[in-house]
Amino acid sequence: MPIHDWTRVPDGTFHHFHATWIPLISSALNHGILPAGYYAMAEQIAGGFEPDVLTLQAIESVDDDLERDERGGTAIAVRPPKVSIQARLEQSLYAHKANRIVIRHRSRDRVVALVEIVSAGNKSSQRDFEAFVEKAASAIYDGIHVSLVDLHPPTSRDPQGVHGAIWSDLGDNTYKAPTNKPLTLAANVGKPDFSAFVEPLAAGDVLPALPVFLNPYRYVEVPLEESYMQAVAEIPDRARAPLEPC
């Protein structure tokens, strides 16, 4: 199913879709995508941040060498994510960042990744937008891998999209969103790698898989298409009508 033009419907319709899609993504991660020792939870609170999906690693499964854990997932050195844009921050760009949050979850298991479906509310006010960007960038700075799905066109607050704003907050202003591809999937790899795998998209494109990193060297892919279709189908017909082709 091609990506819909979500500007055609009120924010409440997207919110309904958003709330349906989140547990479907979490379920997909927990049923065959995440390797043993990892699990996903929807809409949890960690370190003051409320991501849509948290990927955690059970404490009892954590090895001494966390960053080189090779259990499950795909090795980036063998098969990097298939995206159009790859970038990496230079150390000098992010060394200045002193104020940051540390992500902790109430289960006390180790948070390794966040998945965020950007909503219109994240862009609705300067205050909310800046708070969202700061917390996402801070999570990346603290070694949490942040994957984003942004199906809303850039606004005056994020002329290069949410990914561009986060990348800028980390110290790099070079990312430019293609004008013909205003929507974005982005997998941001946290400290110490500080890299990004970005796929610009447009309404009408087929939704590709979303990389979710378990550590800087290994990742899994979430096939978004099926869960997206399921979530769209759960929107009541009357509310969904503006999304459908004329």
Side-chain angles (χ1 to χ4, degrees), residues 13 24 36 40 46 49 56 65 84 87 99 105 120 138 140 146 165 174 191 196 202 208 212 214:
T13 301
L24 292 172
F49 198 26
L56 301 105
D65 188 2
S84 301
N99 296 322
H105 188 254
S138 295
I140 295 168
V146 179
T174 60
K191 188 178 180 178
V212 175
L214 305 178

Side-chain angles (χ1 to χ4, degrees), residues 119-132:
S119 69
N122 294 133
K123 304 184 182 187
S124 63
S125 73
Q126 190 66 31
R127 178 180 177 182
D128 289 344
F129 180 71
E130 289 178 355
F132 175 83

Side-chain angles (χ1 to χ4, degrees), residues 162-174:
V162 169
H163 170 72
I166 292 171
W167 207 238
S168 177
D169 194 75
L170 288 168
D172 188 341
N173 294 307
T174 60

Side-chain angles (χ1 to χ4, degrees), residues 181-192:
K181 299 279 187 179
L183 316 179
T184 311
L185 293 189
N188 295 279
V189 182
K191 188 178 180 178

Side-chain angles (χ1 to χ4, degrees), residues 25-43:
I25 292 173
S26 180
S27 179
L29 283 165
N30 287 327
H31 292 88
I33 295 177
L34 289 174
Y38 293 86
Y39 62 98
M41 298 185 71
E43 297 185 303

